[in-house]
């Protein structure tokens, strides 16, 4: 019998790519989204699929859910642009929502993968970041609603493992990009691509010397499913991302080159608590699961830009 898999946040950028991968692997997929940041268009091609069922629900609210074998808990607004507008919703989806999903995993005896984030490392004093680094988060800052709630979400996963033996694994997802990110999402890759394609100048925050390490979505999704599929992994945490670190200014120049436009770069103030450097150390997942990303930034950006045209 086909495995039944639940994906919370199925209308989001990562969720919709994951649904695609799971349906292709023959799974029956139950997608949950309240479309607070996810988009119906992202999953419109699956709504008539025999193995896909969509539930329009808020995972924060207790509700009866269908029995499943696996749960990917991805639901949360995740763009820094949303942190000022939806701080309460974000703080609660990652805490109350995570608790509800852990309760459901316990009730169904399902395996669960919790999507945590590189943001748990805050503005890191350790570089690159290994899973054992405890982070440097400003809990009262504007990003705290996301960073600290994901941290507490991780605490809950450990508590449910210790107390109830729930088989929950955690991934700390670093910056990811690819088709299906909303052009107005606020995050840097879709923003720069949208600006370049519309002939507007690219808005680099600060002096653009801050770094990030960008992973193409297909690589990321393979990492997620590998973490779920391994047996005997319960309550492990893995960094998931690409180690290729780049400054935001260089990223802007790369996108300008690929799009071949007359747009230039304009500089805007750096947002509060914007991390200066971010790069995952992925040794743990490479050694234990043999996963590593293999799509170059150049190729990933080209595919993403084509999808936006
Ligand atoms: N950024 C930028 N211009 C933009 C959007 C973002 O320079 O229009 C910068 C942002 O300040 C940060 C980096 O790009 O240093 C990555 O931002 P993003 O919001 O994509 O993700 P973050 O890593 O901050 O969560």
């Amino acid at each position: 019998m086909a495995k039944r898999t639940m994906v919370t946040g199925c209308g989001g950028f990562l969720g919709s790519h994951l649904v695609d991968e799971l349906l292709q692997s023959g799974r029956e997929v139950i997608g949950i989204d309240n479309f607070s940041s996810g988009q119906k268009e992202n999953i419109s091609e699956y709504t008539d699929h025999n193995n896909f069922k969509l539930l329009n629900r808020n995972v924060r609210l207790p509700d009866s859910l269908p029995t499943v074998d696996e749960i990917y808990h991805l639901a949360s607004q995740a763009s820094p642009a949303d942190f000022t507008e939806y701080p309460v919703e974000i703080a609660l989806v990652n805490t109350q929502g995570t608790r509800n999903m852990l309760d459901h995993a316990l009730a169904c005896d399902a395996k669960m993968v919790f999507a945590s984030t590189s943001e748990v490392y805050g503005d890191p004093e350790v570089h690159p970041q290994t899973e054992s680094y405890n982070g440097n988060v400003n809990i009262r800052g504007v990003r705290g609603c996301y960073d600290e709630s994901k941290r507490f979400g991780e605490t809950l996963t450990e508590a449910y493992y210790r107390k109830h033996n729930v088989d929950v694994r955690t991934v700390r997802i670093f910056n990811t990009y690819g088709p299906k990110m909303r052009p107005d999402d606020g995050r840097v890759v879709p923003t720069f691509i949208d600006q370049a394609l519309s002939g507007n100048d690219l808005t680099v925050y600060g002096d653009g010397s801050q770094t990030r390490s960008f992973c193409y979505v297909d690589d990321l999704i393979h990492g997620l499913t590998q973490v779920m599929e391994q047996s005997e992994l319960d309550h492990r945490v893995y960094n998931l991302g690409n180690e290729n670190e780049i400054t935001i200014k260089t990223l802007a120049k790369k996108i300008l080159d690929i799009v071949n436009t007359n747009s230039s770069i304009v500089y805007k103030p750096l947002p509060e608590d914007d991390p200066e450097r971010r790069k995952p150390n992925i040794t743990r997942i490479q050694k234990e699961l043999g996963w590593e990303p293999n799509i170059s930034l150049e190729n990933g950006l080209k595919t993403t830009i084509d999808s936006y045209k």
Side-chain angles (χ1 to χ4, degrees):
M1 220 172 61
K3 273 202 175 127
R4 269 186 129 191
T5 304
M6 184 171 280
V7 178
T8 75
C10 68
F13 163 54
L14 294 180
S16 57
H17 283 276
L18 178 62
V19 167
D20 186 69
E21 172 78 15
L22 294 169
L23 288 173
Q24 282 192 45
S25 74
R27 279 173 167 70
E28 196 186 320
V29 178
I30 307 205
I32 300 194
D33 212 301
N34 67 348
F35 300 102
S36 55
S37 60
Q39 296 179 286
K40 291 212 165 102
E41 305 87 86
N42 280 349
I43 44 168
S44 55
E45 61 194 289
Y46 317 118
T47 40
D48 291 331
H49 195 294
N50 286 339
N51 281 343
F52 182 70
K53 186 170 175 192
L54 173 65
L55 300 177
N56 191 326
R57 304 261 178 95
N58 185 337
V59 295
R60 263 167 51 207
L61 306 174
D63 220 334
S64 70
L65 292 168
T67 301
V68 290
D69 304 297
E70 303 170 332
I71 300 171
Y72 289 90
H73 179 36
L74 270 52
S76 174
Q77 281 150 314
S79 170
D82 291 331
F83 298 167
T84 35
E85 192 131 353
Y86 305 103
V88 177
E89 288 87 343
I90 292 171
L92 292 176
V93 73
N94 292 315
T95 51
Q96 186 64 42
T98 300
R99 182 209 173 159
N100 290 341
M101 297 322 296
L102 284 161
D103 276 335
H104 192 55
L106 176 62
C108 303
D109 195 21
K111 265 202 268 184
M112 176 162 151
V113 169
F114 173 54
S116 184
T117 170
S118 58
E119 298 270 342
V120 300
Y121 301 124
D123 193 2
E125 303 128 312
V126 166
H127 196 78
Q129 294 81 56
T130 52
E131 289 86 350
S132 59
Y133 174 50
N134 281 330
N136 176 35
V137 166
N138 176 2
I139 56 172
R140 299 177 64 89
V142 73
R143 298 173 88 103
C145 60
Y146 187 67
D147 304 6
E148 197 62 21
S149 65
K150 286 287 190 186
R151 291 170 67 89
F152 185 65
E154 287 203 28
T155 304
L156 278 174
T157 64
E158 282 294 290
Y160 272 71
Y161 167 74
R162 292 208 174 95
K163 178 76 184 170
H164 300 296
N165 213 24
V166 171
D167 181 350
V168 53
R169 300 105 192 256
T170 296
V171 285
R172 293 181 179 154
I173 299 175
F174 284 67
N175 296 68
T176 307
Y177 69 100
K180 293 191 174 181
M181 284 181 105
R182 284 190 346 242
D184 63 345
D185 164 284
R187 276 177 284 193
V188 69
V189 172
T191 304
F192 283 177
I193 293 178
D194 187 51
Q195 289 166 335
L197 289 177
S198 2
N200 296 320
D201 292 341
L202 275 57
T203 49
V204 168
Y205 298 161
D207 63 2
S209 63
Q210 71 273 32
T211 68
R212 296 291 187 273
S213 311
F214 294 95
C215 185
Y216 187 66
V217 63
D218 289 0
D219 282 331
L220 201 286
I221 296 298
H222 291 145
L224 275 177
T225 53
Q226 255 178 273
V227 169
M228 178 66 92
E229 276 157 31
Q230 289 285 316
S231 48
E232 314 300 327
L233 271 188
D234 47 336
H235 91 126
R236 283 301 260 168
V237 58
Y238 293 102
N239 284 339
L240 213 52
N242 194 310
E243 289 179 312
N244 184 9
E245 186 184 7
I246 178 177
T247 69
I248 295 304
K249 192 171 167 180
T250 309
L251 174 75
K253 287 185 180 157
K254 244 186 210 306
I255 292 176
L256 287 176
D257 269 359
I258 300 174
V259 174
N260 193 16
T261 127
N262 291 328
S263 306
S264 50
I265 293 175
V266 289
Y267 293 90
K268 300 267 177 188
L270 192 68
E272 182 190 327
D273 292 330
D274 198 277
E276 222 174 277
R277 298 186 76 184
R278 188 186 289 148
K279 172 183 169 174
N281 174 315
I282 57 167
T283 310
R284 179 181 288 179
I285 194 163
Q286 272 171 325
K287 281 202 175 135
E288 294 184 13
L289 273 68
W291 175 86
E292 60 186 13
N294 51 40
I295 296 162
S296 69
L297 184 60
E298 195 78 6
N299 287 340
L301 283 177
K302 282 182 184 154
T303 314
T304 309
I305 289 167
D306 283 343
S307 77
Y308 277 68
K309 279 182 180 159

